[in-house]
Amino acid sequence: MFQNDPAASPCLDLSDAIRELAPTVVLARIHPEHRAVTHLFEEDFYRMLIDRQTEDRVARLIRCSFGDVPDWRRAHDFYLPTETLYLTPEPDQNGYVPEDDQSFGLSLSRRIAIGGGEN
């Protein structure tokens, strides 16, 4: 781990640690590990063009923070402003393609956990 890695700092909350890596990210979509894909979205609903290593570090931060609460075999969305983890919308649901839907598709029915440990 890098010496100045935000993930190593106990003083930062999860959203702050992610913003240290990708300052404009609002939503992180983490796909199952076997797909090795993470998408980061900005406030305007468009994907960030960012290096794969940063995407991996963001995914690792989120997975470590939520531990075994979610079923990581399914895709999840972490919404930074509320530090809430959601199941990713299905392809036919609003928010699956944020740049087309102009929505992240956040729904209480898909909420898995909140950063402070509430679920």
Side-chain angles (χ1 to χ4, degrees):
M1 192 174 292
F2 298 109
Q3 196 169 19
N4 62 350
D5 187 349
S9 174
C11 300
L12 295 175
D13 68 9
L14 181 57
S15 291
D16 287 341
I18 292 170
R19 285 190 189 102
E20 286 284 322
L21 299 170
T24 59
V25 69
V26 173
L27 182 108
R29 179 164 291 166
I30 304 163
H31 292 276
E33 287 187 87
H34 71 273
R35 286 189 57 195
V37 176
T38 301
H39 296 144
L40 304 179
F41 294 91
E42 295 180 297
E43 189 174 287
D44 62 1
F45 305 107
Y46 284 90
R47 276 186 54 200
M48 294 179 69
L49 299 177
I50 199 160
D51 63 282
R52 182 75 192 128
Q53 181 181 9
T54 300
E55 290 176 346
D56 288 343
R57 291 171 72 193
V58 168
R60 191 169 47 251
L61 279 170
I62 295 168
R63 282 191 179 104
C64 288
S65 179
F66 287 97
D68 294 333
V69 172
D71 178 359
W72 292 115
R73 295 173 297 176
R74 299 186 63 190
H76 290 80
D77 292 345
F78 179 70
Y79 187 59
L80 278 75
T82 60
E83 292 200 344
T84 305
L85 188 70
Y86 297 87
L87 277 175
T88 298
E90 295 298 322
D92 62 332
Q93 293 176 319
N94 191 37
Y96 183 74
V97 184
E99 58 268 28
D100 291 347
D101 299 337
Q102 295 295 294
S103 166
F104 291 128
L106 307 177
S107 168
L108 286 177
S109 65
R110 287 194 304 276
R111 185 175 75 182
I112 301 298
I114 297 174
E118 182 183 328
N119 52 358

